[in-house]
């Protein structure tokens, strides 16, 4: 059994979904682990992780529009506005999705379905540099 | 330390919660692992996983009704309608819940609370065959 | 590779966020594991887990107010009212957040970001005693 860990840095320019499935798969390959568990963890409170359809870009636009309506920027309900009026909505959108994912590995590959991609979901309007930790526990054929 | 993995196929007939706690427990027993971590992962983008009350069936009906109101089928907000008017709502309901679960194992059993059951939540109206990967990392008494 | 597990009991007095980052960190230190994966699992269906900002207390108040509006107590939609009119909303708030978290460990510490704290989110009005299972898989320098 081996453990391996790495950081992936993602630059965002505005709210929206940023795919990093390729980076996650490259990390898994680099470890030589065949069967195990990939954990993906984002070290922030105003962006989140999402596994969703990676085919039609309309899906990603609809996600953004639905969440913008569900958790409106400038909602008078919010008292935490000192970091900008999109900050508290960003925290809530993060809570409604996830900051961590667990994905099984088989035959050295992610067990994703055909249409599943891994995304960082930026919930702030301003550009940010986001750090994601990828962590793999498992067994390799030469381990 | 051992790793073991299996697929569970669940046939759905319409939106709703389909329990598979027994299948997950049978898989854990079959591995001989006493202490470890069960990961459950669904390989789709329009159904999800939920750990919730397995006693009163009204709870499951209320879940379905609340989510149907929160993410309405036919909402004019959605532009991704090519796969049916319940497809984009299904993606969003999936994002609001989870595609992966992590459940500790102790004494060869799932650490679920008394009222917790494991469900596949189908978000599409048409029947589907859904694949769930169960993955266990841990130690057994004879390992 | 080692596996270690423990229970943390949290007493709640009403709806709201109860931080237990220190208890989780103390557990990690006690195991001597340097690199690995911490799983946090709550054994209930009417409270949940959340990783969120631990700086401004306004954030926690805004969370509570947003979720109270999104899933209103006394909503006539709900038929499961036998355990109190805040019970079904508590189940839904739990489904919208998480009952399990996975956090990588590096250098014997949780890979949390600067502003991330780990919270139990109580969704019931009455006081409860809540059990959280913390589970660690990993390697230690002397393992």
């Amino acid at each position: 059994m081996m453990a391996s860990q790495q950081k992936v840095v993602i630059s965002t320019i505005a709210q929206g979904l940023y795919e990093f499935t390729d980076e996650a798969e490259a990390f898994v390959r680099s470890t030589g682990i065949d069967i195990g568990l990939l954990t993906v963890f984002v070290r922030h409170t105003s962006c989140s992780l999402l596994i969703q359809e990676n085919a039609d870009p309309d899906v990603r636009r609809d996600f953004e529009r639905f969440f913008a309506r569900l958790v409106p920027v400038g909602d008078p309900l919010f008292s935490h506005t000192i970091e900008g009026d999109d900050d508290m909505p960003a925290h809530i959108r993060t809570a409604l999705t996830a900051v961590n994912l667990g994905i099984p590995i088989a035959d050295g590959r992610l067990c994703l379905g055909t249409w599943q991609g891994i995304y960082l979901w930026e919930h702030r309007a301003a550009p940010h540099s986001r750090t994601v930790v990828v962590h793999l526990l498992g067994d390799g054929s030469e381990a």
Side-chain angles (χ1 to χ4, degrees), chain A residues 2-22:
Chain A
M2 298 182 291
S4 189
Q5 198 164 300
Q6 198 176 287
K7 283 178 186 167
V8 177
V9 176
I10 298 169
S11 296
T12 65
I13 51 167
Q15 279 116 340
L17 290 159
Y18 298 79
E19 187 166 11
F20 63 100
T21 316
D22 289 350

Side-chain angles (χ1 to χ4, degrees), chain A residues 6-143:
Chain A
Q6 198 176 287
K7 283 178 186 167
V8 177
V9 176
I10 298 169
S11 296
T12 65
I13 51 167
Q15 279 116 340
L17 290 159
Y18 298 79
E19 187 166 11
F20 63 100
T21 316
D22 289 350
E23 287 83 347
E25 278 182 342
F27 165 69
V28 172
R29 271 197 306 276
S30 75
T31 63
I33 290 176
D34 289 326
I35 181 164
L37 172 66
L38 178 73
T39 301
V40 186
F41 184 83
V42 66
R43 303 184 69 201
H44 305 278
T45 59
S46 57
C47 65
S48 60
L49 299 172
L50 186 70
I51 292 179
Q52 258 301 331
E53 172 165 331
N54 59 2
D56 183 356
D58 278 351
V59 170
R60 299 196 283 283
R61 274 194 293 272
D62 285 352
F63 263 111
E64 191 54 46
R65 293 166 70 189
F66 183 86
F67 273 70
R69 188 180 67 184
L70 184 66
V71 194
V73 168
D75 191 321
L77 185 83
F78 298 134
S79 56
H80 174 77
T81 53
I82 195 169
E83 296 173 69
D85 62 1
D86 65 331
D87 185 57
M88 194 62 222
H91 291 318
I92 290 176
R93 290 164 56 142
T94 298
L96 289 170
T97 48
V99 295
N100 65 107
L101 302 170
I103 307 168
I105 305 298
D107 300 324
R109 302 197 53 182
L110 294 166
C111 287
L112 293 173
T114 312
W115 306 109
Q116 288 181 316
I118 311 174
Y119 293 89
L120 177 95
W121 197 346
E122 178 59 70
H123 300 302
R124 299 298 308 266
H128 280 81
S129 174
R130 301 301 200 173
T131 303
V132 172
V133 179
V134 286
H135 171 97
L136 187 46
L137 275 178
D139 270 324
S141 45
E142 65 262 53

